[in-house]
Amino acid sequence: MDNSNIEAIVRQVLAGMSTANKASAAPAAPKAAAGAIPETARVAMLVEKERFELKEYKIPEIGDDDILVKVEGCGVCGTDAHEFKNDPFGLIPVVLGHEGTGEIVKMGKNVAKDSAGKPLAIGDKVVTCMIFADDPEITMYDLNKQNVGKADVYGLIKPIGDDYFTGWFADYIVIKKGSTVFNVSDLDLDSRVLIEPCAVLVHAVERAKTTGILRFNSRVVVQGCGPIGLICIAVLRTMGIENIVAVDGNEQRLAFAKRMGADKSVDFRNYKGAEALGKAVYDTFGGHYADFAFQCTGNPVAHANIYKMIRNGGGLCELGFFINGGDATINPHFDLCAKEITLVGSWVYTLRDYATTFDFLKRAQAIGLPIKELITHRFPLEEINEALKTNLSMKGLKIAVINK
C-alpha cells in the first residue's frame, strides 16, 4: 500500500467522523437563484426516538390565505427534548420546532395584516403563536382568559396532507389560514428566537398578579434557574420588583440569575431537607419568608419543598410541569390550609401574552438585562441531533438551531 492509498483512507475516516453527529440522510439545502424560492426544501423529520433525518420535499402551493416563511432560526424547547427522547405525545414521525422565526418570502393575495392588525409584506420577520383553524371566531381580544391548551401549535402537529412544512426545524414553513402570526421586524434574530419561552413567563407573572399578593415591594423566591426560571427573574425585574432570591444547585446558573435581576441566591446543595432550605431562604431575606414564590422546575420534590419558603398568607405560582413529571407529596394542612397559601397554576400563554412579550424583550434590553445571552449554543439544521442531545445533557442554557 503506497502513501496515496493511506492518505485516501485517512481522508475517508476523517470525513466519517465529521458527519457522525449530523442528521441522517442530510441533503444539502436546495440551491436557487438569489431571491428565488426553490422548488424543494428540507425539514428535520423525527423518524424515531432520538433520531432526526433531513428529508427533502416539494414546497406546496401557497393558497390565497397562506404565508411561506424562510426559517432563520428556532429555539430548542424542553418539549422538543421530551418528544425527541420519549415521544410522550405520540407524534413520530413529526417535524418539531415551535420557537421559530423567519422572513416572509411569499404571501397569498388575501393576507394583509398580522394577528394584531399590523401590516404584513414580503421581507417582514414573523413568528407564529397558535392555530385556530377549528375555531375561527377566536381573536386576540377575547383570549385574555384562555390559554393555548386546546389549540394547535406549529412544530407539534402531524404533516398536513402533502405539506411537511409544519414545524420550524426546517428550511421553510407554511403558515396556513386560521393561524396566528405576528410581524416582529423590529426585533433581532436572537430576541425573536426567545419570544415563545418569554411568553410563558409573561403569562405566569400575569397569573401571579391575579392573587393580589405580588407587588412592587414583594419578597419573591424563584426556584429553578434554567431558562424558564431565569426569564421569570427578568420579567419580575422589568416590573420593578427588586427583592428576588434565586434557588438552584448550579453555581453558574445562580451567577447568571443575579445578572438577570436576582438580588441574592441560595444553593440548595448546601442544605439538607426542606426545612433547612426554607430556613436558608428565610435568612437570605433577612429574617422573612417569601411573599410570593415561582416554582420553575419539573421536579416533584422541588414542588414539595417550596411551601417551606413562603410566609403565612403568601402566594405560589407553579409553572414547572409542562408535562407529567410525577406526583408531589405535601401536607395540605401545614403547607396550604394553615398558612392560607394562594396557589395558581400556569401553563403556556394566551394570545395577548404573546403580543405583550415583544415589549417585555425591548424593556429588558433597555434596562441592561443580558436576555440574549440565554442562547449559549447554536447549531445548523444539519446538526439538529447534536442540538437536542446538548439540551438533554443540560449543557449551557438555551439551545438554538440557526439556519445558514
Side-chain angles (χ1 to χ4, degrees):
M1 181 178 293
D2 58 26
N3 289 339
S4 63
N5 289 333
I6 294 173
E7 290 175 2
I9 293 171
V10 170
R11 283 195 298 270
Q12 185 177 4
V13 171
L14 290 175
M17 292 172 62
S18 68
T19 58
N21 287 323
K22 296 184 178 180
S24 302
K31 299 294 183 182
I37 300 169
E39 291 186 3
T40 62
R42 304 169 305 163
V43 301
M45 182 76 73
L46 185 65
V47 295
E48 63 184 20
K49 293 178 184 178
E50 299 191 30
R51 186 167 72 89
F52 282 100
E53 286 185 4
L54 290 194
K55 293 182 176 291
E56 189 170 341
Y57 295 103
K58 179 178 173 56
I59 297 176
E61 291 295 321
I62 302 303
D64 291 344
D65 300 286
D66 301 339
I67 303 171
L68 180 64
V69 176
K70 184 177 183 180
V71 178
E72 294 179 297
C74 183
V76 176
C77 178
T79 304
D80 297 318
H82 286 299
E83 181 62 19
F84 177 74
K85 185 171 179 61
N86 296 313
D87 189 27
F89 309 113
L91 294 175
I92 292 175
V94 64
V95 180
L96 295 175
H98 58 275
E99 297 182 355
T101 183
E103 179 180 326
I104 295 177
V105 293
K106 190 174 183 179
M107 295 165 49
K109 66 179 183 180
N110 295 334
V111 179
K113 296 180 179 180
D114 73 359
S115 299
K118 191 174 180 179
L120 285 176
I122 302 295
D124 283 339
K125 312 294 186 179
V126 294
V127 294
T128 53
C129 180
M130 57 193 86
I131 309 168
F132 286 119
D134 296 333
D135 196 352
E137 299 302 316
I138 293 179
T139 71
M140 70 178 296
Y141 297 105
D142 58 20
L143 258 176
N144 291 321
K145 295 182 180 179
Q146 181 177 342
N147 70 13
V148 304
K150 294 183 179 179
D152 289 324
V153 176
Y154 287 107
L156 292 172
I157 58 175
K158 294 275 192 179
I160 304 171
D162 293 331
D163 177 10
Y164 295 90
F165 298 89
T166 54
W168 287 93
F169 291 151
D171 292 326
Y172 290 83
I173 187 170
V174 178
I175 301 174
K176 295 286 191 179
K177 179 181 179 180
S179 306
T180 53
V181 60
F182 292 98
N183 186 341
V184 287
S185 299
D186 55 346
L187 294 173
D188 60 40
L189 177 57
D190 285 352
S191 297
R192 287 183 273 132
V193 166
L194 290 169
I195 286 171
E196 199 275 348
C198 288
V200 171
L201 278 307
V202 168
H203 180 68
V205 172
E206 290 297 325
R207 292 280 293 140
K209 286 162 60 179
T210 65
T211 66
I213 299 171
L214 186 64
R215 299 184 175 91
F216 282 112
N217 61 346
S218 295
R219 301 179 184 90
V220 180
V221 62
V222 176
Q223 179 169 249
C225 292
I228 293 298
L230 292 170
I231 296 170
C232 183
I233 292 168
V235 173
L236 293 168
R237 189 64 191 86
T238 59
M239 291 174 54
I241 296 174
E242 298 183 343
N243 202 353
I244 304 169
V245 170
V247 177
D248 199 89
N250 181 293
E251 291 180 7
Q252 289 75 24
R253 292 187 174 195
L254 288 172
F256 197 82
K258 290 184 177 179
R259 295 183 62 205
M260 291 289 268
D263 182 44
K264 296 181 176 65
S265 64
V266 171
D267 189 332
F268 66 73
R269 296 173 300 177
N270 297 331
Y271 305 94
K272 190 172 183 178
E275 296 291 343
L277 182 56
K279 180 62 164 55
V281 171
Y282 174 88
D283 292 340
T284 303
F285 276 127
H288 302 277
Y289 288 107
D291 299 305
F292 206 94
F294 288 86
Q295 207 298 111
C296 302
T297 81
N299 187 319
V301 175
H303 175 87
N305 287 348
I306 203 162
Y307 294 91
K308 305 298 188 289
M309 307 176 195
I310 308 169
R311 68 167 172 83
N312 285 10
L316 166 62
C317 179
E318 172 56 71
L319 65 141
F321 292 85
F322 285 86
I323 66 168
N324 181 7
D327 295 336
T329 301
I330 68 168
N331 185 303
H333 170 71
F334 290 113
D335 293 331
L336 276 171
C337 298
K339 295 178 74 173
E340 293 196 339
I341 298 295
T342 301
L343 169 63
V344 294
S346 183
W347 194 68
V348 292
Y349 35 72
T350 70
L351 189 49
R352 186 179 291 277
D353 296 322
Y354 216 76
T356 302
T357 300
F358 312 149
D359 292 313
F360 155 69
L361 283 161
K362 295 172 187 175
R363 173 63 178 159
Q365 293 177 57
I367 65 174
L369 301 183
I371 196 82
K372 292 190 289 186
E373 291 183 34
L374 284 167
I375 303 175
T376 55
H377 293 71
R378 294 168 174 82
F379 293 88
L381 188 63
E382 294 83 357
E383 297 178 16
I384 190 167
N385 285 306
E386 184 63 24
L388 270 292
K389 291 174 183 176
T390 300
N391 181 286
L392 287 169
S393 66
M394 298 185 68
K395 296 177 182 176
L397 291 169
K398 191 67 183 173
I399 315 301
V401 175
I402 305 297
N403 287 2
K404 296 176 181 177

